[in-house]
Amino acid sequence: MSNQSRTPREKVCCSPLMRAPLSADHTIGLAHMFKALSDPVRLRLLSLVASHQGGEACVCDISGSFDLSQPTISHHLKVLRQAGLLDCERRGTWVYYWVIPSALQQLSSVLSAVDPTADDVALVTS
């Protein structure tokens, strides 16, 4: 929706990024997450894990999707874990990964133009 289509009576709550400058402490963690996602392989890995049936994926389930060696995939998964985007658990000889929903919510809320938790948000649908 463009700014021109809003009625004057509408109240739109902006994301934290648009309301006030982010604190230095807050930006360190966010930058770490965004940096981890700036690599196409890591972004795709996160997507594969998040969309996998049951919300978690074994390395064996996702490694075949890439023309990369197992150590390279493990490195990328480690970067995503260190950024706080994934968590994992070893089960026997395999490691299972899942997305940390609160991390994705944190990234989303910073970039969102409208605060979805605001009670008084009214948008024109036409």
Side-chain angles (χ1 to χ4, degrees):
M1 170 194 345
S2 71
N3 288 339
Q4 293 81 20
S5 63
R6 289 190 186 129
T7 61
R9 293 182 296 191
E10 284 184 289
K11 293 182 181 179
V12 177
C13 291
C14 298
S15 71
L17 186 64
M18 296 171 66
R19 278 190 298 234
L22 298 171
S23 72
D25 290 338
H26 193 192
T27 59
I28 292 170
L30 289 171
H32 196 63
M33 286 190 272
F34 282 122
K35 185 176 181 181
L37 290 175
S38 69
D39 183 280
V41 171
R42 290 193 287 265
L43 185 57
R44 186 149 182 249
L45 276 169
L46 185 77
S47 174
L48 285 168
V49 171
S51 64
H52 199 267
Q53 185 176 2
E56 64 180 30
C58 175
V59 172
C60 62
D61 295 329
I62 55 180
S63 59
S65 301
F66 298 91
D67 189 24
L68 299 170
S69 67
Q70 179 59 46
T72 301
I73 291 172
S74 292
H75 166 75
H76 286 299
L77 289 167
K78 179 182 174 184
V79 170
L80 290 169
R81 278 186 21 249
Q82 289 174 334
L85 295 164
L86 291 180
D87 205 353
C88 67
E89 175 182 76
R90 180 173 292 281
R91 298 179 194 159
T93 58
W94 296 108
V95 179
Y96 288 81
Y97 292 86
W98 58 89
V99 172
I100 300 173
S102 61
L104 296 184
Q105 180 59 43
Q106 194 176 10
L107 293 174
S108 176
S109 69
V110 167
L111 295 177
S112 176
V114 177
D115 183 354
T117 62
D119 292 331
D120 58 349
V121 174
L123 301 175
V124 175
T125 57
S126 56

